[in-house]
Each structure stands twice: as structure tokens, then as C-alpha cells.
């Protein structure tokens, strides 16, 4: 790849009808550049829709961020609303909010965490959530690919059946059930690990909880894709020519079976970070998910908007990255 051209060893993952040599490796063609530009514009449109829908739905719910304040007069409430611009017409608030995001990337101050900006709270939470999510995602991908490959190579044998039973069980169980079970057994009953996720040791159980579902899904995805690839004509041709089994499996079959996994990995990474809010609540992890849940219960408008925009942007970016990675795995894939 580093030489700028593919060699004769490049795997042919086509329909198996021929073994046509791949003429080139991925390059930034005008077609690819147009595709990336189109996806970026669609991403911006998606984020704008998320901002608009969240803003108006949030303001349509009865009540306000200062309604629950104890011993606060109507005059004090009016003063707070004037301070944060909540007394202005809704459309004016919307336009001002969009302008601040586009021109200054400013999500405003938190209405409940006095003296703190929303972006600062998000960045502080992401320090933990990103670490938690990345470890869980890569652990899930690594273990899932290995188990899926083993299951495919040992098809219908005891190992395959055991892996399928275990992964089916984990796919069926919600993360809050798994997290609660691990918390009670490992932390409370056995005392092996702390229940609080604010320490390094305390992140072990949240990582396991977050990784089990995607790991199980990737295992099943890899197994299915690997079985399909192993049945292709070019795999049988390689084996007939005496190509070593290790090269057939790792050089051809495994690489070509990873395309569905890559399809899933980008959204999965975003899902783990955005979907960690329940797990972060269970294990008291000081991450962005916990901040998001807290902002909803406190009616912290600016925090709700900031975290929603950030998490939506993360999902959009991860989907784009996963699409572009197809070209790395299989250079013949063409983007429309």
C-alpha cells in the first residue's frame, strides 16, 4: 500500500467469477472528493435539523429552568430569564443561538451550574466518556473479530455453538441489566472492584458493561461474513493453488469479511459514547452521559442543547468515517 500501487497479492473480493487484478489502491479522485463534500453538507443539514427540533421541542414543554428553584419570587425569576435572554421571543432566541454557534462556537453558560460554560462541562465529561468509550469499543471489536473468526472456522462444532449461545444471551440483555448485575455481584457481594466509576479501577465494570453487547454483535457479524467469504470461488482457487491456510484466512478471507464490521464500528463507537448515559448513572461515572441526564432533570436548556448537538455531531462524523474506511479495506468500492 505504501508504494502507491497494489501487487498481485491483493485479494479479489468480488463475485468470485474471476481473479481480475486490482489496478490501483485508494486515491483522492474527483468522484471521492465530491462524495465527501456531499456527505459533509448532509451532515451539516442533519445537525441543523437536530438543533431546530431540539430547541423548539424543549421550549414547548411546560415549565422552565427556574421553576423548581426554592423560595424564588416572580421578580427574581423574571430577572434570571432576562439575564439569560429567555424573556425574548422564541424565534429571536433561536436565531441568536444559531448565530452564536456558527460564529463563535458558543453554547452559552449553564443555567444550573453557575459560572460554568456548557462547552467546558462537555469537555470535562468527554475526558472520561471518551476514555471509557474508546476502551470499550476497541475491546469489543478485537474480541468480537477473534471470536467470530474462530466460530466461522469451527462451524457447527462445540466451540462455535458455545460462542453463539453466549453472544445471543448478551445481545438479548439490556446494558442496564448487565450493569446492575455486575455492580451487585462484583462490587457489592464480592468487593473485587469499586462501585464508583470516578477511579481507574472503577471504570473496569462500566467498560465490560458497554463492551458486551457490541462485542456479541460483532462476533455474529464476523462469523456470518467470514462464512460467506470462505465459500467464494477465489478462496477455493487460492487453496487449490497451495496457498498456506494462514495466508488464505488472514490475508484474504478475514480482510474481506471486515467490511460489514467496519460498517457497524463507526456508529457503534458513537453509540457507546452516547449510549453510556445509563451506564454512567449506574456506576456514578462523571462523564458526558451523566451530565446529559442531569441537564434534562434540571431543565438546563443550554446544557441540553449543547450535549444534544455534540452527541449528534459525533454520530454523524462516525458514520462518515466508517463509510470512508470501506475504500481502505476494498479499493474497488466506488462511492456514488
Amino acid at each position: 500500500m505504501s508504494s502507491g500501487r497494489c501487487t498481485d497479492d491483493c485479494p479479489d473480493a468480488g463475485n468470485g467469477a474471476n481473479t481480475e487484478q486490482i489496478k490501483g489502491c485508494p486515491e483522492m479522485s474527483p468522484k471521492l472528493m465530491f462524495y465527501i463534500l456531499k456527505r459533509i453538507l448532509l451532515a451539516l443539514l442533519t445537525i441543523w435539523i437536530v438543533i431546530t427540533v431540539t430547541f423548539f421541542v424543549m421550549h414547548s414543554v411546560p415549565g422552565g429552568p427556574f421553576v423548581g428553584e426554592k423560595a424564588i419570587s416572580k421578580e427574581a425569576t423574571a430577572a434570571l430569564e432576562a439575564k439569560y435572554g429567555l424573556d425574548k421571543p422564541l424565534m429571536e432566541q433561536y436565531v441568536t443561538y444559531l448565530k452564536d454557534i456558527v460564529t463563535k462556537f458558543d453554547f452559552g453558560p449553564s443555567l444550573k451550574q453557575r459560572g460554568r460554560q456548557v462547552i467546558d462541562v462537555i469537555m470535562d465529561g468527554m475526558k472520561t466518556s471518551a476514555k471509557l468509550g474508546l476502551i470499550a469499543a476497541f475491546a469489543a471489536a478485537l474480541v468480537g473479530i477473534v471470536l467470530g473468526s474462530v466460530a466461522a472456522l469451527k462451524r457447527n462444532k462445540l466451540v462455535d455453538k458455545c460462542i453463539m449461545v453466549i453472544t445471543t444471551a448478551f445481545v438479548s440483555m439490556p446494558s442496564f441489566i448487565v450493569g446492575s448485575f455486575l455492580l451487585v455481584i462484583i462490587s457489592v457481594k464480592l468487593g473485587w472492584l469499586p462501585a464508583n466509576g470516578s477511579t481507574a479501577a472503577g471504570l473496569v465494570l462500566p467498560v465490560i458493561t458497554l463492551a458486551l453487547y457490541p462485542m456479541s454483535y460483532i462476533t455474529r457479524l464476523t462469523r456470518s461474513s467470514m462464512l460467506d467469504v470462505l465459500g467464494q470461488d477465489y478462496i477455493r482457487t487460492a487453496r487449490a493453488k497451495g496457498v498456506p491456510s494462514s495466508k488464505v484466512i488472514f490475508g484474504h478471507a478475514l480482510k474481506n469479511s471486515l467490511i460489514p464490521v467496519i460498517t457497524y464500528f463507526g456508529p457503534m463507537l458513537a453509540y457507546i459514547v452516547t449510549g453510556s448515559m445509563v451506564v454512567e448513572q449506574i456506576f456514578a461515572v462523571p462523564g458526558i452521559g451523566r451530565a446529559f441526564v442531569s441537564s434534562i432533570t434540571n431543565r438546563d436548556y443550554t446544557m441540553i442543547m449543547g450535549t444534544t448537538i455534540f452527541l449528534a455531531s459525533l454520530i454523524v462524523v462516525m458514520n462518515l468515517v466508517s463509510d470512508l474506511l470501506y475504500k481502505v479495506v476494498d479499493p474497488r468500492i466506488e462511492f456514488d
Side-chain angles (χ1 to χ4, degrees):
M1 279 292 185
S2 60
S3 64
R5 62 184 183 84
C6 290
T7 64
D8 292 339
D9 292 331
C10 287
D12 182 6
N15 57 14
N18 57 59
T19 55
E20 181 183 9
Q21 183 178 343
I22 301 173
K23 302 202 183 243
C25 290
E27 60 182 14
M28 190 64 72
S29 64
K31 192 173 183 179
L32 178 57
M33 292 178 65
F34 177 76
Y35 175 81
I36 295 174
L37 178 62
K38 183 179 71 172
R39 287 298 304 271
I40 291 174
L41 293 176
L42 288 174
L44 293 176
L45 176 62
T46 302
I47 294 171
W48 173 73
I49 293 174
V50 169
I51 293 173
T52 303
V53 172
T54 304
F55 184 89
F56 287 103
V57 169
M58 181 180 64
H59 282 82
S60 67
V61 178
F66 309 117
V67 172
E69 297 282 355
K70 294 181 179 180
I72 184 170
S73 64
K74 293 182 179 180
E75 292 77 11
T77 301
L80 286 172
E81 290 179 347
K83 177 182 178 181
Y84 293 107
L86 299 178
D87 60 333
K88 297 177 181 178
L90 190 58
M91 187 56 66
E92 184 179 344
Q93 293 182 45
Y94 171 70
V95 173
T96 301
Y97 189 77
L98 278 180
K99 181 180 177 182
D100 289 341
I101 292 177
V102 173
T103 59
K104 299 182 290 186
F105 197 66
D106 182 14
F107 295 105
S110 171
L111 303 183
K112 293 294 183 178
Q113 302 185 42
R114 305 292 169 78
R116 298 200 68 190
Q117 295 292 314
V118 171
I119 190 64
D120 295 332
V121 178
I122 292 175
M123 290 299 103
D124 287 344
M126 276 302 295
K127 291 178 183 177
T128 302
S129 293
K131 178 169 60 177
L132 183 66
L134 287 173
I135 295 173
F138 284 100
L142 179 61
V143 176
I145 290 172
V146 171
L147 290 180
S149 300
V150 171
L153 295 173
K154 301 293 183 180
R155 183 182 183 183
N156 294 330
K157 294 184 179 179
L158 180 61
V159 174
D160 177 30
K161 294 178 180 179
C162 289
I163 291 175
M164 287 299 99
V165 169
I166 294 173
T167 54
T168 300
F170 285 134
V171 165
S172 305
M173 287 191 290
S175 59
F176 69 88
I177 297 293
V178 176
S180 301
F181 177 79
L182 293 177
L183 180 66
V184 171
I185 300 300
I186 304 298
S187 296
V188 178
K189 299 293 185 182
L190 300 177
W192 290 349
L193 291 169
N196 193 311
S198 59
T199 62
L203 292 179
V204 175
L205 291 182
V207 166
I208 294 174
T209 303
L210 286 173
L212 282 177
Y213 174 84
M215 179 271 292
S216 302
Y217 191 87
I218 289 175
T219 298
R220 300 173 67 85
L221 200 60
T222 303
R223 178 184 181 273
S224 176
S225 181
M226 181 77 105
L227 288 174
D228 181 63
V229 171
L230 289 174
Q232 296 293 325
D233 290 341
Y234 71 94
I235 293 293
R236 289 193 288 267
T237 300
R239 284 175 169 168
K241 289 182 177 180
V243 177
S245 296
S246 59
K247 187 173 182 180
V248 171
I249 294 172
F250 296 105
H252 298 341
L254 181 59
K255 180 179 178 181
N256 291 320
S257 65
L258 288 182
I259 293 178
V261 177
I262 291 174
T263 306
Y264 176 68
F265 185 81
M268 177 202 72
L269 182 58
Y271 154 78
I272 287 181
V273 177
T274 58
S276 66
M277 56 188 68
V278 174
V279 175
E280 289 181 5
Q281 286 290 103
I282 294 174
F283 294 99
V285 178
I288 189 173
R290 194 179 182 192
F292 180 63
V293 173
S294 177
S295 69
I296 295 175
T297 56
N298 292 330
R299 297 294 296 274
D300 191 342
Y301 286 171
T302 52
M303 184 61 66
I304 293 172
M305 289 298 301
T307 49
T308 301
I309 295 169
F310 181 83
L311 296 176
S313 301
L314 183 63
I315 293 174
V316 169
V317 170
M318 287 298 101
N319 275 286
L320 176 59
V321 170
S322 65
D323 284 350
L324 296 179
L325 283 178
Y326 300 160
K327 195 74 172 176
V328 176
V329 175
D330 191 342
R332 292 161 305 167
I333 292 178
E334 293 294 337
F335 295 110
D336 294 327

